[in-house]
Amino acid sequence: MITICVLQVPEVLPEAYWNHFLSQVSAERREQASRFMHQADAYRSVLGEVLTRVTVSKFTGLAPAELSFTRNSYGKPSLIHHSNVPFNVSHSGDWIALISGGVAELGVDVEKIAPIEMQIAERFFSPMESQFLATEPAERQRETFYRLWTLKESYIKAVGMGLSMPLNSFAILPDERGDWRCEQAEEHRFHSQRLDDQHMLAACSAGGDLPSQPEIVTLEDLYSQLKHRGSLGY
């Protein structure tokens, strides 16, 4: 079963939580976190890996800290010793999102909604998507832009090619029922929703139904699960 987990990033992490989270991520992640100028960036980076370790470890029989990751040539992460366990992670603004489960390739994207020039759609969207966006009421155009953007990002992340696949080389549009579809990849499933007033979430599966709502993970849940699964050693 495919699940989507979301975690809201706090403004300040308790020191005990932060120290324990740091001890459970890779040395590369700790070094990266130490270089960030803004603490919020360090929080997102470290918590994204912790959420991934805690959630994905359930499919492997390993403790969260025992997992090892690699990336393909386009930057998509995977497990070194359990490459058949699909997952994908994204973070932006106040939220981290993780999709995992099933057997097909997965992609997820979360973006903070900010003011944007609509002309950018002509550079990155297909002609059909640009036309669809232009026909939306003015008060809905920014939301539609971010909905399309996150859907497209979730698709290229699922495919595993990153931005080496031009965003304007495919189109994701709603069908007559309002479900999002990609004509170039009809087998893929899509999900889109607002997480709150300022953040958009989208997910893509190459096979298998997506949940209608994400599971909200609290900081306390994450800390407790990390302690529990680490102590069990699986």
Side-chain angles (χ1 to χ4, degrees):
M1 182 177 69
I2 298 171
T3 61
I4 302 171
C5 299
V6 294
L7 171 70
Q8 192 164 21
V9 181
E11 290 187 12
V12 179
L13 265 170
E15 185 176 357
Y17 280 30
W18 180 236
N19 289 337
H20 187 59
F21 290 151
L22 281 174
S23 73
Q24 299 298 300
V25 299
S26 65
E28 178 185 6
R29 184 73 61 181
R30 289 194 295 272
E31 182 182 355
Q32 181 189 55
S34 70
R35 296 198 304 266
F36 283 121
M37 293 183 60
H38 303 289
Q39 190 63 33
D41 294 325
Y43 283 171
R44 281 188 289 266
S45 177
V46 170
L47 289 175
E49 182 172 323
V50 172
L51 180 62
T52 301
R53 286 181 177 277
V54 168
T55 306
V56 176
S57 68
K58 301 171 187 177
F59 303 108
T60 68
L62 297 174
E66 295 175 331
L67 299 178
S68 298
F69 300 91
T70 186
R71 292 180 180 272
N72 71 9
S73 58
Y74 301 104
K76 184 176 182 178
S78 63
L79 293 173
I80 291 178
H81 300 297
H82 294 81
S83 58
N84 61 326
V85 176
F87 71 92
N88 199 237
V89 65
S90 176
H91 51 74
S92 178
D94 298 338
W95 290 93
I96 298 167
L98 172 76
I99 187 170
S100 60
V103 296
E105 294 296 337
L106 303 170
V108 69
D109 189 55
V110 59
E111 295 289 344
K112 184 174 182 179
I113 299 172
I116 194 168
E117 295 292 333
M118 288 298 114
Q119 289 83 354
I120 195 173
E122 297 177 4
R123 291 178 53 201
F124 296 105
F125 290 178
S126 72
M128 288 186 296
E129 289 167 332
S130 295
Q131 182 179 9
F132 173 72
L133 179 62
T135 60
E136 287 283 272
E139 65 273 13
R140 289 218 316 257
Q141 284 191 345
R142 185 166 66 168
E143 175 170 338
T144 300
F145 174 92
Y146 277 97
R147 199 173 293 278
L148 289 170
W149 184 273
T150 53
L151 283 164
K152 292 170 76 67
E153 286 277 357
S154 73
Y155 173 67
I156 64 173
K157 291 178 74 175
V159 172
M161 295 180 63
L163 290 176
S164 67
M165 173 182 285
L167 286 173
N168 60 6
S169 66
F170 61 93
I172 300 176
L173 294 166
D175 61 18
E176 63 277 2
R177 296 181 301 177
D179 296 327
W180 296 95
R181 293 284 182 262
C182 179
E183 289 187 2
Q184 293 87 339
E186 295 183 357
E187 72 281 5
H188 285 66
R189 306 284 193 273
F190 294 93
H191 171 77
S192 174
Q193 71 171 88
R194 272 183 177 262
L195 284 176
D196 57 26
D197 289 343
Q198 293 184 310
H199 298 82
M200 188 71 71
L201 170 75
C204 173
S205 166
D209 292 333
L210 294 166
S212 59
Q213 292 291 331
E215 173 189 348
I216 297 177
V217 178
T218 67
L219 191 66
E220 292 72 23
D221 289 338
L222 189 62
Y223 183 76
S224 176
Q225 289 186 56
L226 186 61
K227 284 280 193 179
H228 178 65
R229 295 188 67 80
S231 66
L232 290 177
Y234 67 89

